[in-house]
Amino acid sequence: MYITSVDRVEEWELDVEGALGVKVKYLLHERMGAKRLQLRVFIVDVGGHTHLEKHKHEHEVFILQGKALVRGGDAEVIVKEGSVIFIPSWEEHQFRNVGEEKLQFLCTKETIE
Amino acid sequence: MYITSVDRVEEWELDVEGALGVKVKYLLHERMGAKRLQLRVFIVDVGGHTHLEKHKHEHEVFILQGKALVRGGDAEVIVKEGSVIFIPSWEEHQFRNVGEEKLQFLCTKETIE
């Protein structure tokens, strides 16, 4: 068993073209023994957004705080605390903070492509 | 993209020997297109607990609310909101609500064994 807390995990600026005001904490990954799955928390400033991207791995997302406009393929939907989102393989997606407080969400990523 | 919310997902009593006062909501799984990973939320009454179990699939757990005594192998640790737990393959584990409010946690489970 490995235990940590969101408060104790280092925060990194997401330095990717097209991303604005996004920080990430790598909560669980291979270094903790998690061979198959990574768990991250993203923190997005008011007005910020992740970069538009698509890739083979699926995402499962849980909104912890705030209000987001999530784009998945051609759809755009407003989500908030308690919303759960599944992004399938190769679907283009982006998260925008359209609220008035920080946006925080958990996001899974498979380690094995 | 598939979107839902914790509030909109049906709650089931976890009817397993050794579990007490545990409800579960199946947030994401194969029916939503999630081929590799299931995301569930467990709700445990004050004084309740999951059953002690071990299995091949790993768990990644995020505590949303409450206070739990989590057992993993021979270790027992108190966790609370914001705690993140990794349970490796075949490690015996159990979650007990030792707080004074409902315990709620997210828990992943791989679909492919």
Side-chain angles (χ1 to χ4, degrees), chain A residues 39-66:
Chain A
L39 183 66
R40 299 88 45 88
V41 64
F42 289 85
I43 303 106
V44 185
D45 293 339
V46 174
H49 54 79
T50 63
H51 53 295
L52 186 65
E53 62 169 347
K54 58 182 180 178
H55 40 62
K56 186 176 176 189
H57 58 265
E58 302 175 338
H59 281 317
E60 300 195 353
V61 171
F62 186 92
I63 307 289
L64 292 171
Q65 183 191 36

Side-chain angles (χ1 to χ4, degrees), chain A residues 36-37 60 84 86 110, chain B residues 2 4 36-37 60 84 110:
Chain A
R36 305 180 195 174
L37 190 66
E60 300 195 353
V84 180
F86 172 67
E110 303 102 48
Chain B
Y2 171 84
T4 188
R36 305 180 195 173
L37 189 66
E60 300 196 353
V84 180
E110 303 102 48

